[in-house]
Amino acid sequence: GAGVSQSPSNKVTEKGKDVELRCDPISGHTALYWYRQSLGQGLEFLIYFQGNSAPDKSGLPSDRFSAERTGGSVSTLTIQRTQQEDSAVYLCASSLAVPNIQYFGAGTRLSVL
Amino acid sequence: AQRVTQPEKLLSVFKGAPVELKCNYSYSGSPELFWYVQYSRQRLQLLLRHISRESIKGFTADLNKGETSFHLKKPFAQEEDSAMYYCALSGPGTASKLTFGTGTRLQVTL
């Protein structure tokens, strides 16, 4: 079956613009995660959804970052007023509640000029 | 706070040599431990998890609670093992975030 799908695969934007990143999880997976992979920082957790609610938003770096999930499926990560330090690969993963095996998408590479 | 430490950024070994990728963790309680691998131009994928106690592609990892370690081992490295390896942990049981180490690049040369 289809894996986790992320779009766009690449996004180049200017500093100060808003961007939206999309994640389509594996069908039936109730849990959805966003991570960020940047040079020198490794993989950082951003936010986790169980269904449409987000019990753990502890990794969002600032209030410029937000995410939502609708219909227990697709999720959108929004970054407002992008900064150069937001440049990274944003990864989405999904899993069943149990077992917690997370399947990753190919990521969106965000470049803020 | 939970933390995963992978002390080596790069590990270079010859084909046929044994491999050990180190991972130490800090967690209050009983975490689940994982190894994820990212081959060139491919997405991050699960290699193995400690609960399964299985060998995948010849790799094994044993959870040592006394030393809080979960080192990844393979007796004979192959060229196709060259990749980025990440150790990760999560809370036990239900879905929860993964905390990753910074990763170790394994380079297997002839």
Side-chain angles (χ1 to χ4, degrees):
Chain A
V4 177
S5 178
Q6 291 188 247
S7 61
S9 54
N10 281 284
K11 176 72 177 178
V12 180
T13 190
E14 293 178 352
K15 178 182 171 181
K17 300 278 190 185
D18 297 352
V19 295
E20 284 189 354
L21 312 180
R22 177 188 166 105
C23 173
D24 213 329
I26 292 172
S27 177
H29 280 193
T30 55
L32 186 147
Y33 310 79
W34 284 97
Y35 296 88
R36 180 166 72 173
Q37 187 174 29
S38 46
L39 283 174
Q41 297 292 327
L43 276 149
E44 306 170 87
F45 166 78
L46 297 177
I47 186 170
Y48 149 58
F49 288 91
Q50 182 62 42
N52 291 336
S53 63
D56 190 349
K57 306 178 184 180
S58 62
L60 293 178
S62 76
D63 58 9
R64 296 187 295 105
F65 287 72
S66 63
E68 65 174 13
R69 189 179 184 193
T70 55
S73 180
V74 172
S75 175
T76 303
L77 176 69
T78 301
I79 309 173
Q80 296 178 308
R81 304 181 303 282
T82 52
Q83 303 294 312
Q84 287 184 333
E85 61 262 28
D86 299 334
S87 296
V89 176
Y90 289 82
L91 294 174
C92 176
S94 70
S95 76
L96 295 170
V98 179
N100 183 21
I101 298 174
Q102 296 185 23
Y103 296 84
F104 283 80
T108 294
R109 181 175 296 278
L110 176 65
S111 300
V112 182
L113 304 180
Chain B
Q2 52 196 58
R3 181 188 298 177
V4 176
T5 302
Q6 293 179 251
E8 302 141 327
K9 285 189 176 179
L10 172 67
L11 182 64
S12 187
V13 301
F14 288 110
K15 179 182 174 181
V19 174
E20 183 178 48
L21 299 170
K22 291 184 167 45
C23 172
N24 287 90
Y25 67 90
S26 173
Y27 187 83
S28 300
S30 297
E32 285 200 50
L33 273 297
F34 305 82
W35 277 99
Y36 277 81
V37 61
Q38 190 167 27
Y39 300 102
S40 179
R41 299 188 190 85
Q42 294 187 27
R43 61 185 66 189
L44 196 62
Q45 59 187 282
L46 177 69
L47 181 61
L48 53 79
R49 50 198 291 249
H50 88 272
I51 283 180
S52 302
R53 302 184 68 81
E54 55 192 347
S55 173
I56 305 292
K57 299 185 179 182
F59 285 97
T60 58
D62 290 320
L63 180 60
N64 185 323
K65 292 184 179 181
E67 296 183 358
T68 59
S69 69
F70 188 57
H71 302 328
L72 183 68
K73 300 178 183 179
K74 184 170 181 176
F76 306 105
Q78 302 299 314
E79 278 186 270
E80 56 265 29
D81 297 329
S82 295
M84 195 74 180
Y85 291 80
Y86 294 94
C87 182
L89 70 76
S90 73
T94 58
S96 64
K97 68 181 181 184
L98 288 170
T99 297
F100 285 89
T102 49
T104 298
R105 179 167 299 283
L106 175 64
Q107 191 172 353
V108 181
T109 56
L110 296 175

